[in-house]
Amino acid sequence: GFLSNFDRQQHAALLAVANDDITTEVMKWQELDGGCKLLTMTTSPKAVVHFLGGAFVSPQPTVAYRYVLEQLTRKGYAIVATPFAVDFDYRKPAAEIREKFSRACRDLETTDDKIANFRSLPLLAMGHSLGALMQVLLACEYPDDHGLDTTTGAALISYNNKNVDGAIPAFKELFVPALGPLEPLTRDSNVVDALVRAQDVRRNGFNAVRSFAQSFQGVLGLQDDESLIPGVAPLVLKALDDVEAAAELVDQIPGVVASIAKGASEFEPTPSEMRTLVSNSYQQQAPLIVRFTDDGIDESDALAGILPDRLDAKRVDLKGTHVTPLAIDPNAESTPLLPIPDLLADGPVGDLRQELLANADTLVLTLDDYFTESIETAIAKAELGVNMKESSSSSDDATPVDESSNTEEEL
């Protein structure tokens, strides 16, 4: 497991990293084997956070959750985000996530240029909405890879385990009758090929626009951090990346339509089956369950209700909505938006940027506190185990006193 190799030297190194100041710079995601994305500002982070996003934005977590994940990175964590597509059978994306993350871990193990001593670092799980459910399902279905022995802590944000009707209004009344007749098309190879070609055309189109923008930039003699408008950060290439990411979100729609057309009418496991599975199989100690005060589709209460008391789950209610984790900072260097003018940043209604990000900032602080506590608890347990082993070894090595021999001499 991730903590099996902890010793005092690694403990000291971990605390040193945690106390280092993390400098501010432009955040850049790195591609890992299998499709996971890595974000880190140091090769010696204090922990690795495996993140899964919510429904429909899950294929692009690095864009949808940019602000929150960047803020966690600035606090010394390395983020590994696993993209996945929505499916009515939850076990399919769970298996996809497991495979992708396993390949990413092998990638990080083979070299120290991204993260040094990867396997010696604590692993933390984090998920939002459907991503929270996926983290729970992974821990139940694949405990050897995502369970108690490998995961130091789990932050489950806005957990959602609603049935189809609760997640998609008028699903059975509207979507099933409308999409059912399309079932023959899902088996037509010509239709499938056309969808693939459309994706290729879109991809090539974005690459062409990107190449043109870079060539135009070169003709004008502009560096990567320069723009045509003095004092304004270059936005075109960043905007292209985000627009392409948004366009790629539609790639999961044909699969969802095909599932409905083939008769899918409920998520699997069903909500009741998921509750039974969690109650019987979830073993993560002291998970953090985060609920926002204005979130109509949150089911954190239901999750907390089925977890055994021995797990000592932690609960926290924060101000915000279901989309608070998707907050956008228009001033961030990685965002293709114009920054908020100084007049609005400190105007009569207060700091507009601060108002936009206040709830997300509170979430980040809450996560950091929980992750830090989880790491410290894991270290303490590991040290206790080492001390007990050393004590036992010392006792075994001690020479026993031969009391019978002493008694005979006295007689």
Side-chain angles (χ1 to χ4, degrees):
F2 281 78
L3 291 175
S4 60
N5 297 324
F6 262 174
D7 57 25
R8 289 182 176 82
Q9 182 177 0
Q10 289 169 323
H11 180 196
L14 179 64
L15 293 179
V17 172
N19 293 328
D20 282 346
D21 290 331
I22 303 298
T23 58
T24 301
E25 62 182 56
V26 179
M27 299 286 190
K28 293 183 180 180
W29 290 87
Q30 303 176 60
E31 184 90 17
L32 297 175
D33 183 39
C36 290
K37 306 295 180 65
L38 170 68
L39 184 66
T40 182
M41 299 185 73
T42 172
T43 57
S44 300
K46 56 186 177 184
V48 175
V49 178
H50 180 213
F51 177 74
L52 301 175
F56 297 110
V57 294
S58 57
Q60 296 294 339
T62 62
V63 176
Y65 297 89
R66 175 185 285 137
Y67 178 73
V68 166
L69 298 183
E70 287 185 354
Q71 293 306 105
L72 284 172
T73 303
R74 295 187 193 283
K75 292 187 175 295
Y77 301 96
I79 309 295
V80 176
T82 302
F84 67 94
V86 175
D87 195 283
F88 277 79
D89 185 351
Y90 287 152
R91 288 188 173 92
K92 289 182 179 179
E96 175 192 353
I97 292 166
R98 181 201 185 197
E99 173 61 22
K100 287 182 175 181
F101 188 65
S102 295
R103 291 176 62 179
C105 289
R106 290 193 293 269
D107 185 2
L108 292 170
E109 287 174 352
T110 58
T111 177
D112 285 345
D113 63 343
K114 297 184 180 75
I115 297 179
N117 301 315
F118 170 70
R119 279 295 178 185
S120 70
L121 293 174
L123 173 65
L124 302 159
M126 174 182 167
H128 172 239
S129 192
L130 177 60
L133 182 145
M134 284 295 158
Q135 290 287 13
V136 172
L137 184 58
L138 286 166
C140 294
E141 296 279 301
Y142 308 108
D144 292 341
D145 299 324
H146 298 269
L148 181 61
D149 292 337
T150 58
T151 307
T152 303
L156 309 173
I157 307 165
S158 301
Y159 181 85
N160 188 318
N161 184 36
K162 288 186 177 296
N163 58 23
V164 171
D165 287 333
I168 308 175
F171 174 78
K172 292 180 181 178
E173 295 80 5
L174 178 62
F175 288 93
V176 172
L179 299 178
L182 300 180
E183 192 276 336
L185 296 178
T186 65
R187 295 180 278 105
D188 191 330
S189 60
N190 292 327
V191 174
V192 175
D193 291 342
L195 290 173
V196 173
R197 287 195 299 272
Q199 293 173 7
D200 290 339
V201 169
R202 183 194 63 213
R203 190 177 301 110
N204 293 334
F206 275 104
N207 287 338
V209 175
R210 191 175 288 108
S211 296
F212 173 79
Q214 291 171 337
S215 299
F216 188 68
Q217 186 181 47
V219 170
L220 297 178
L222 298 174
Q223 300 297 320
D224 291 339
D225 59 348
E226 293 181 315
S227 71
L228 289 172
I229 306 174
V232 176
L235 304 176
V236 175
L237 293 177
K238 295 177 185 177
L240 276 175
D241 292 340
D242 279 14
V243 172
E244 183 174 19
E248 289 177 355
L249 292 177
V250 303
D251 290 347
Q252 62 191 318
I253 294 178
V256 174
V257 171
S259 296
I260 298 173
K262 292 177 181 178
S265 59
E266 186 53 271
F267 298 125
E268 297 181 13
T270 64
S272 61
E273 291 171 343
M274 188 68 191
R275 287 191 289 270
T276 300
L277 177 64
V278 173
S279 179
N280 294 336
S281 302
Y282 192 70
Q283 300 294 323
Q284 181 63 51
Q285 190 67 29
L288 175 67
I289 302 176
V290 179
R291 180 181 65 176
F292 293 106
T293 55
D294 188 15
D295 188 346
I297 61 175
D298 179 277
E299 295 203 314
S300 295
D301 287 342
L303 174 63
I306 60 177
L307 292 179
D309 292 339
R310 59 182 170 77
L311 296 183
D312 192 25
K314 301 178 183 298
R315 296 288 308 275
V316 61
D317 287 351
L318 301 178
K319 184 179 179 181
T321 70
H322 197 77
V323 297
T324 290
L326 285 79
I328 298 173
D329 180 9
N331 288 27
E333 289 291 335
S334 58
T335 302
L337 300 174
L338 292 173
I340 294 176
D342 293 339
L343 178 63
L344 294 179
D346 190 20
V349 295
D351 189 329
L352 180 57
R353 176 175 175 272
Q354 183 176 344
E355 291 293 326
L356 289 172
L357 301 174
N359 294 340
D361 287 338
T362 302
L363 172 63
V364 170
L365 292 175
T366 301
L367 293 170
D368 183 35
D369 288 343
Y370 168 72
F371 289 155
T372 300
E373 180 182 355
S374 299
I375 294 170
E376 291 174 349
T377 300
I379 291 173
K381 288 182 179 179
E383 287 191 329
L384 179 61
V386 171
N387 292 336
M388 291 179 64
K389 185 176 181 180
E390 291 177 349
S391 176
S392 176
S393 177
S394 298
S395 299
D396 293 341
D397 291 342
T399 303
V401 177
D402 189 346
E403 295 182 355
S404 61
S405 174
N406 292 339
T407 304
E408 289 176 359
E409 289 179 0
E410 291 175 358
L411 294 174

